[in-house]
Amino acid sequence: MTLEILTSQDRPQRKWLNALFLGALAFLLTLFCLELIVVSGRISPLWYSTALMTVVVFRAPSKHVPLLLLSCVIGTSLANLIVIGPALSNLKFSILNMLQAILGGLMLRALLDRRNPLNSLLDWVRFAVCAGLIAPLIGGVVAVWMLQVGHRASLPFFSTWVISEVIGVLAFGPVLLLWPNKPLRHLITPGRQLETLLTLFVTLLASYLSLRFLPWPFTFIVVILFWCAVRLPKFEAFLLFFLNASFISILLAFSFVNLAQTGLLLGQVSNWLPFLLVLLPSHVMALVMDAFQREKHHISEKETRFRHAMEYSAIGMALVSPNGGWQQVNQSLCHTLGFPADELKKLTFQQITHPDDLNSDLQQLERLVAGDIMSYTMEKRYFRKDGEIVWARLTVSMVRDAEDQPLYFIAQIVDISELKQSEQVNRRLMERITLANEAGGIGVWEWNLLSGEMLWDKRMYELFALGPHQVPTYDVWLHLMEPTERETAALIVQQAIERRSAFHMEYRVNLPSGSRYVRTEANRILSQDGQIERMLGICQDITPLRALNEALFQEKERMAITLDSIGEAVISTDDEMRVTFMNPVAETLSGWPQEKAAGVALSELLNITRGANGPRVENLLLCNLPGIKTSPDLEEELVLHTPEGVQVEIHYSITPLKTLTGASIGAVMVIQDVSESRKMMKRLSYSASHDMLTRLPNRHSFEQQLKRMVNDAAANHSQHVLVFIDLDKFKAVNDSAGHAAGDALLRELAELMQKHLRSSDLLARLGGDEFGVLLPNSHVDQVRDVVQRIVTSVNEYTFLWHDHPYHVGASAGITQIDQHNCISNVVMSQADVACYSAKHAGRGQYHVYQEVQM
């Protein structure tokens, strides 16, 4: 049986068994100590029962302490009754022991950690002072007063009481404090048990021989107990100290050994003072050795963690000797440099470093050795085994010995070859953009709306004829414009800022060289909170272009129409929408030759229906001359029927013909055969809105539907539900069975989840192994079972790939969409947070988002 009775046990029958056990233990300890008095009649006894009750007060739950103390008092009184006989003093002694134990236990409760009471030397000092000194002294004073000891006998009685209690607490107390809450056979291995028993036998024999034959025996006993403290763990050492104390007390009580009297005033107590002095350094040594072993274990654990961190790190790591040799390398570094570990250790870093980078690396290394810097980071090139060059980001620190001499360097090497290639591509791209801007006469500007600062490039200064000393501002830019256009330009900019949108405009500027036309285009840059932060734009001098446009306007009109008509059906009309010209393609499509079509109204010439079997289009576009180029909606499926019964899917546009002064002179109708392109558009539309792997709607389609739902919730106070589903352990299938297996699994799980949803519900693949579900006109409580069925079906689904079964799981996050929660990115974030909570809670379940109340 163990002392686990002091920490728990709420069952009533177990509580009484524990009390009975403690009462029996107190009885045996008291009987042992009393028998020492009876046998010797001349020595101060050890007293263990107070130590037992002190630890009961310290370790036991407060509600169990009274019963356990009562059982200890009864056991102690019963032992006194058997040895001393019936007397009221028996009960007084037991009560005094209990009061002293309560005092010592309460002080220990205030000063020690009940789960780890003797974790340091300071804890032992607190224990020794409180339970081993203050409590016995107070108990001795109270005992002299309560038992009415005579004046002449008070000092011997007091000293006997105190020394016996002190030795009892110091010898037995640590054993009880450190006693584990599980059987000793689970704590001490068979090999350790044998070692402990052999050490006990040796120490008992050595203590006996020291007391029997050696001068100053307690000096040798200290050495013996020191040996126990060095060899054994803390608990086993204190256990042997206790057994040795009990053994020595038996030797002294039965006169197996004789010690000369010191003749001090304390009389018999003086025999025990050396023994007390033996326990103190032994305890200190045991605690010091325990601290040393724990520190050693801690250092070993740190070394193990460092080894594992280095070996399994995703980046290259190495230990490098002061002369540059590779002492230890991990697999990531070997993969980066292309050398096996054994070959790399035969080289130095100087041998595989690019010559252009070696000198800089060595200079930094010298500064590190000299102590000028603690570490350094640089980008350098290494030669791989295959001769190729790899760019790496190198970080180096140094480990020194106790004399501050270099032991080795710790190097972290990250492959940045792809990053360097990207930087080079970006640099070339910027060079091309700069050259293109300069060639096209384009100026680039940036406007910080928070600070009002404007940055112009060199071309902007040239474009607006500003000197290098002048600072560009928004007001300067407006001042350079034609006065009649300033208000319009300011309004366009203001609206763009308020709407957080891009803008473009054309305006005139007044320069010393004359008036120029400028085109400005700008886009906005938003901050993290969605507010417009900066405007980035370009300016281009379009004066020559405007002049050319004015000169070639009429020619441009005809040429543009002619070019648009190539390969298309082109029909020209007069201002009354009667046919004046048809090209051959138009004759073929309409089935009318130009001779017969001339003068016929356009609406009579063309038989156009909505769909193959739909009603005929009574379109005013075919009857009235439009003011601008017009055409039906691209999504409107129009079919042209020829007199021969041929049906052609078409799209058409009607462009008015105007003179330079703006007078209308007719129109040009361009008809396009869009049969093939419409088929292609349908395929592209489907591809743009669906995931090609699972045939589910994709993220874009999902987000569009989500926007419609949140708008509906805001406008109509309707309720919808958003569910975010993330597969668990999907990566393991990809990694072990390959991406083909992962794709097949996604298709099967998509079909599986779709079976649990209504026809009105939308299941979409958002990317990777993430899915989203929109359940319209639903409340969270209504969809819990649906989501649970989806999660359960995925968790229980067995995926077979090449006759090998695989299992994945699913975690889901649910959030409500209503009039109070109708922002797309917010509800998406809520569902993601809820899904993460489900994963964090153990995966394979769902979690409903709950807003934190502040």
Side-chain angles (χ1 to χ4, degrees):
M1 194 170 185
T2 70
L3 289 187
E4 61 185 352
I5 60 175
L6 299 180
T7 56
S8 55
Q9 287 73 327
D10 290 328
R11 292 178 294 176
Q13 63 274 23
R14 188 63 182 273
K15 179 173 64 175
W16 290 103
L17 287 175
N18 295 338
L20 181 61
F21 172 78
L22 281 179
L25 182 59
F27 170 78
L28 293 176
L29 292 173
T30 306
L31 188 63
F32 170 76
C33 296
L34 290 175
E35 286 297 333
L36 295 181
I37 301 176
V38 173
V39 170
S40 65
R42 60 183 179 81
I43 68 168
S44 175
L46 297 172
W47 199 252
Y48 291 145
S49 58
T50 306
L52 175 63
M53 287 189 282
T54 300
V55 176
V56 167
V57 174
F58 174 72
R59 293 188 61 170
S62 300
K63 61 181 179 180
H64 295 163
V65 169
L67 177 62
L68 298 179
L69 283 181
L70 178 62
S71 65
C72 292
V73 170
I74 294 174
T76 304
S77 302
L78 185 59
N80 280 287
L81 176 65
I82 293 175
V83 176
I84 301 175
L88 183 60
S89 60
N90 294 341
L91 183 58
K92 290 183 177 180
F93 272 113
S94 300
I95 293 176
L96 284 171
N97 292 155
M98 180 186 69
L99 295 176
Q100 179 180 321
I102 292 174
L103 175 62
L106 292 178
M107 287 191 291
L108 293 182
R109 277 197 175 204
L111 297 176
L112 299 182
D113 183 0
R114 296 174 67 187
R115 293 172 297 181
N116 197 4
L118 294 182
N119 190 47
S120 65
L121 188 58
L122 179 60
D123 290 340
W124 180 86
V125 171
R126 291 169 178 166
F127 159 75
V129 171
C130 294
L133 183 60
I134 296 177
L137 288 174
I138 296 175
V141 173
V142 175
V144 170
W145 173 70
M146 286 188 61
L147 299 176
Q148 298 180 356
V149 180
H151 179 70
R152 297 185 60 185
S154 61
L155 183 58
F157 176 84
F158 176 77
S159 60
T160 300
W161 177 284
V162 172
I163 199 67
S164 61
E165 292 285 3
V166 170
I167 295 175
V169 169
L170 292 181
F172 194 37
V175 177
L176 297 174
L177 289 176
L178 296 174
W179 197 286
N181 291 328
K182 55 184 177 180
L184 285 179
R185 65 178 181 274
H186 295 164
L187 182 71
I188 306 177
T189 61
R192 180 66 59 79
Q193 292 176 9
L194 179 60
E195 180 183 5
T196 303
L197 291 175
L198 290 176
T199 306
L200 175 62
F201 174 76
V202 172
T203 54
L204 294 180
L205 179 60
S207 297
Y208 170 74
L209 295 177
S210 298
L211 290 169
R212 184 67 182 273
F213 301 107
L214 297 177
W216 306 294
F218 287 106
T219 302
F220 292 95
I221 292 175
V222 170
V223 176
I224 295 169
L225 297 184
F226 273 16
W227 179 67
C228 294
V230 172
R231 284 193 58 85
L232 299 176
K234 179 170 60 176
F235 170 71
E236 287 90 328
F238 278 106
L239 182 61
L240 262 64
F241 297 161
F242 163 67
L243 295 176
N244 272 273
S246 301
F247 176 69
I248 294 174
S249 66
I250 293 173
L251 293 179
L252 294 176
F254 285 89
S255 299
F256 293 134
V257 296
N258 293 309
L259 299 176
Q261 295 293 324
T262 62
L264 296 174
L265 178 63
L266 298 180
Q268 298 178 23
V269 175
S270 62
N271 294 329
W272 290 85
L273 290 178
F275 183 59
L276 177 61
L277 297 177
V278 165
L279 284 177
L280 297 179
S282 303
H283 285 195
V284 172
M285 176 58 74
L287 291 170
V288 169
M289 290 305 300
D290 176 67
F292 172 75
Q293 292 295 336
R294 283 189 286 116
E295 182 64 23
K296 182 179 177 181
H297 179 68
H298 178 66
I299 293 174
S300 176
E301 283 186 341
K302 289 176 65 176
E303 291 178 349
T304 302
R305 286 196 297 268
F306 175 76
R307 251 190 336 266
H308 288 177
M310 176 175 177
E311 183 63 28
Y312 302 112
S313 174
I315 65 174
M317 295 189 66
L319 302 183
V320 184
S321 65
N323 63 0
W326 303 95
Q327 292 181 344
Q328 187 175 347
V329 295
N330 66 355
Q331 290 299 318
S332 296
L333 181 60
C334 294
H335 177 74
T336 298
L337 300 180
F339 287 92
D342 54 348
E343 291 187 23
L344 192 58
K345 291 178 181 179
K346 297 177 183 179
L347 302 173
T348 64
F349 77 86
Q350 295 93 329
Q351 292 176 286
I352 61 174
T353 297
H354 194 281
D356 295 342
D357 301 329
L358 182 58
N359 186 49
S360 176
D361 195 3
L362 292 177
Q363 288 178 355
Q364 295 280 17
L365 209 60
E366 289 177 0
R367 295 183 62 200
L368 185 62
V369 173
D372 297 337
I373 56 176
M374 300 302 296
S375 65
Y376 69 87
T377 300
M378 63 176 294
E379 294 179 358
K380 60 179 292 187
R381 288 162 289 182
Y382 289 99
F383 290 109
R384 288 174 51 88
K385 184 179 180 180
D386 55 13
E388 292 189 6
I389 294 177
V390 57
W391 273 98
R393 180 180 294 109
L394 171 67
T395 301
V396 181
S397 57
M398 187 174 62
V399 177
R400 300 176 183 269
D401 59 15
E403 298 178 356
D404 205 32
Q405 296 299 315
L407 281 178
Y408 54 83
F409 301 102
I410 300 177
Q412 301 179 37
I413 300 172
V414 181
D415 186 352
I416 58 170
S417 298
E418 293 184 0
L419 179 61
K420 280 292 185 180
Q421 293 175 359
S422 299
E423 289 179 353
Q424 187 176 9
V425 171
N426 291 337
R427 185 167 57 253
R428 292 176 179 174
L429 179 60
M430 289 303 299
E431 291 174 353
R432 289 196 293 268
I433 293 175
T434 302
L435 291 174
N437 287 343
E438 292 178 354
I442 297 174
V444 180
W445 56 269
E446 182 180 349
W447 181 20
N448 189 325
L449 296 177
L450 302 180
S451 64
E453 181 184 11
M454 264 194 171
L455 298 177
W456 286 9
D457 68 354
K458 181 177 66 174
R459 176 57 185 162
M460 286 289 295
Y461 278 87
E462 297 174 354
L463 189 61
F464 288 91
L466 287 186
H469 62 282
Q470 292 180 279
V471 179
T473 63
Y474 176 72
D475 291 335
V476 169
W477 174 69
L478 281 179
H479 180 74
L480 292 172
M481 287 187 190
E482 178 72 22
T484 58
E485 299 185 10
R486 291 175 188 170
E487 184 177 352
T488 302
L491 180 62
I492 292 174
V493 173
Q494 184 63 32
Q495 289 177 345
I497 294 175
E498 293 175 354
R499 298 171 184 174
R500 294 180 292 179
S501 62
F503 72 86
H504 67 276
M505 58 182 172
E506 296 181 2
Y507 51 89
R508 285 180 296 169
V509 293
N510 295 319
L511 302 178
S513 60
S515 179
R516 309 290 293 179
Y517 285 92
V518 176
R519 175 186 292 127
T520 294
E521 298 184 14
N523 207 341
R524 80 286 186 274
I525 299 177
L526 302 180
S527 61
Q528 292 183 351
D529 57 359
Q531 299 300 317
I532 188 168
E533 187 176 69
R534 291 177 295 155
M535 299 290 287
L536 184 64
I538 62 170
C539 291
Q540 185 178 16
D541 186 351
I542 60 169
T543 304
L545 181 62
R546 288 290 295 259
L548 182 62
N549 287 343
E550 290 294 333
L552 301 177
F553 179 78
Q554 189 171 3
E555 178 115 3
K556 175 187 173 183
E557 285 285 303
R558 290 189 174 88
M559 289 296 296
I561 294 172
T562 303
L563 291 175
D564 288 342
S565 302
I566 295 176
E568 313 289 351
V570 178
I571 302 176
S572 296
T573 70
D574 58 14
D575 56 350
E576 294 181 355
M577 298 299 289
R578 296 182 180 276
V579 177
T580 59
F581 169 79
M582 294 177 64
N583 69 350
V585 177
E587 290 180 333
T588 302
L589 281 179
S590 65
W592 284 69
Q594 182 172 344
E595 293 77 12
K596 291 184 178 182
V600 177
L602 191 61
S603 57
E604 297 178 8
L605 180 72
L606 302 176
N607 181 15
I608 302 175
T609 62
R610 291 185 174 89
N613 301 313
R616 182 167 179 170
V617 176
E618 298 296 337
N619 198 327
L620 292 177
L621 296 179
L622 305 179
C623 303
N624 298 328
L625 184 67
I628 59 174
K629 180 178 179 179
T630 56
S631 63
D633 191 356
L634 286 173
E635 297 180 359
E636 189 173 3
E637 296 183 0
L638 301 178
V639 177
L640 174 64
H641 299 265
T642 66
E644 292 79 15
V646 178
Q647 298 178 353
V648 182
E649 294 186 4
I650 65 166
H651 178 74
Y652 68 87
S653 63
I654 299 178
T655 305
L657 288 174
K658 297 182 180 181
T659 64
L660 187 61
T661 60
S664 298
I665 58 175
V668 174
M669 181 178 186
V670 179
I671 304 175
Q672 298 172 323
D673 183 351
V674 295
S675 301
E676 292 299 324
S677 61
R678 188 163 289 168
K679 293 178 182 178
M680 179 63 70
M681 287 297 296
K682 290 179 179 179
R683 289 195 295 269
L684 291 177
S685 176
Y686 183 87
S687 300
S689 61
H690 286 75
D691 173 49
M692 292 298 98
L693 177 63
T694 61
R695 300 299 179 182
L696 295 176
N698 59 16
R699 189 180 191 95
H700 176 73
S701 179
F702 180 85
E703 289 176 347
Q704 294 301 315
Q705 181 63 19
L706 177 60
K707 287 181 180 179
R708 286 191 285 271
M709 282 193 175
V710 297
N711 292 336
D712 177 62
N716 303 319
H717 296 179
S718 57
Q719 292 186 335
H720 314 291
V721 174
L722 168 62
V723 182
F724 189 94
I725 301 174
D726 194 358
L727 300 183
D728 302 325
K729 299 182 290 185
F730 175 77
K731 185 177 182 299
V733 177
N734 259 352
D735 292 344
S736 58
H739 290 284
D743 293 346
L745 175 58
L746 287 175
R747 286 192 293 269
E748 294 182 18
L749 291 181
E751 296 178 2
L752 179 66
M753 289 188 285
Q754 189 72 59
K755 294 178 181 178
H756 296 281
L757 298 174
R758 302 169 300 182
S759 59
S760 60
D761 299 335
L762 175 67
L763 172 64
R765 182 186 179 199
L766 305 183
D769 57 350
E770 299 174 349
F771 295 82
V773 182
L774 290 173
L775 299 99
N777 302 315
S778 300
H779 191 270
V780 167
D781 292 334
Q782 298 173 340
V783 304
R784 288 177 182 267
D785 292 340
V786 176
V787 176
Q788 183 61 58
R789 287 197 299 271
I790 292 175
V791 171
T792 302
S793 63
V794 174
N795 291 339
E796 295 176 352
Y797 186 70
T798 301
F799 172 66
L800 293 177
W801 185 259
H802 297 315
D803 298 329
H804 188 281
Y806 294 88
H807 290 87
V808 296
S811 300
I814 308 175
T815 189
Q816 183 73 56
I817 303 173
D818 55 26
Q819 59 177 320
H820 306 296
N821 190 29
C822 54
I823 300 177
S824 299
N825 59 344
V826 172
V827 296
M828 283 289 287
S829 177
Q830 290 174 354
D832 190 28
V833 169
C835 183
Y836 175 81
S837 299
K839 281 182 171 291
H840 185 69
R843 301 188 178 186
Q845 56 184 288
Y846 72 87
H847 186 81
V848 179
Y849 177 81
Q850 297 293 333
E851 185 175 358
V852 178
Q853 298 296 328
M854 299 300 291

